[in-house]
Amino acid sequence: MLGKIESALLYLMRLVMVVLVLFTLFNFALWSWGAAHKPSPDTAAEDMHKGRDWAALKISDEELKKITYSDFGYGDSSQVVHDDKLAADTAAVAAFAEVDALVRAAIERNPVQRKKLEDDNSERGLAPAQPLPALVEAMHAKERAGNDIAAMDAATAASAAAEAADGDGWEPQPTSIGEVLLNQTRSIISSYNYDAGRAFVLGAPAALKTLLADPQVQAGISKQTASIAVSNLLLNYNMVFSAKAGESDVQTATSGWLQRLIEPSNLLVFTVLLWSFVFLMMIVVFLRVERHLRAMSQDGKALAQRSS
């Protein structure tokens, strides 16, 4: 029985050793080929694009128009479409309203202290809450007016007249929580896609609810004006969301198990495994030889006793 187990173990180790040897040689061949054909830094960029069919390169009219329109002050049509989709999404509308309520409650926790802080810094606090559809329409109207040259000239003239009348034409505006959140959502959509922007909006209430319950965050908000507090809270949420989205992109771009398995850095691992099996096989062989020699010695003693 013991001999059969040793034979099976030796056969298995021989098979594994053959596989390891072939795989190690294959990996070493890949490493050698990569080292021999690695382009120099001077020609790496040129070799990367060698053989590319430049005549087949086409420029998208939409992409070119999107960049060019912004130079002339025209709005982004895709941005308008995404805004309208958000405004028609009941879940997004509810999330906007919840974020507004959470941030507003955190900022206006102490109304007397808040009013004094805003007055001391010549700020006007928070703007009244608006439902998302009304907010989108108001922002689109403002952006259309900003792109209207005649309206801009009239506004400039009115501002100059007001400045001449009282010596100071600048007047602070109240901060709209919904407008800041929509701008942050637009940046996410621009960086990724609409689904990412929707996820950003839907995840905002839970994230901000946890954050605003922190005593240190509450103390920090009480020392900042409404405009700074709203900007910091929603910008930080944007940064954390983008960082998480970036981690997902890296994980998605990771190569498959076969590509990771044949990396040259694994050559040492395979070599160590190979020699480990060699030593293990030698131990089993030595044990088998020792047992065989003992059997021969016993047979010799028995034969000597018979002959005597």
Side-chain angles (χ1 to χ4, degrees), residues 27-40 264:
N27 204 342
F28 184 76
L30 286 178
W31 176 81
S32 301
W33 185 87
H37 294 81
K38 184 178 180 180
S40 64

Side-chain angles (χ1 to χ4, degrees), residues 158-179:
S159 176
E163 184 175 357
D166 58 15
D168 186 5
W170 180 82
E171 185 176 343
Q173 298 297 319
T175 301
S176 171
I177 299 173
E179 184 173 340

Side-chain angles (χ1 to χ4, degrees), residues 78-214:
S78 62
Q79 178 175 282
V80 174
V81 172
H82 293 149
D83 290 348
D84 291 338
K85 286 179 67 176
L86 281 175
D89 189 331
T90 55
V93 172
F96 261 79
E98 188 173 356
V99 168
D100 189 290
L102 287 170
V103 176
R104 189 178 300 275
I107 292 176
E108 297 180 344
R109 185 181 302 271
N110 189 331
V112 176
Q113 180 184 355
R114 172 57 53 186
K115 186 177 187 310
K116 183 178 184 305
L117 179 63
E118 300 295 331
D119 292 341
D120 291 344
N121 290 274
S122 301
E123 297 278 355
R124 296 186 59 186
L126 296 175
Q130 281 184 291
L132 181 57
L135 174 66
V136 168
E137 183 60 34
M139 288 186 65
H140 288 176
K142 186 190 298 184
E143 289 162 358
R144 286 193 297 269
N147 295 330
D148 188 341
I149 303 299
M152 290 178 63
D153 291 342
T156 303
S159 176
E163 184 175 357
D166 58 15
D168 186 5
W170 180 82
E171 185 176 343
Q173 298 297 319
T175 301
S176 171
I177 299 173
E179 184 173 340
V180 176
L181 178 58
L182 183 57
N183 285 329
Q184 295 295 339
T185 307
R186 286 174 170 180
S187 72
I188 293 293
I189 294 175
S190 177
S191 300
Y192 299 98
N193 52 36
Y194 174 78
D195 291 335
R198 185 175 185 273
F200 174 80
V201 171
L202 298 183
L208 292 174
K209 186 180 295 182
T210 303
L211 179 66
L212 295 174
D214 187 278

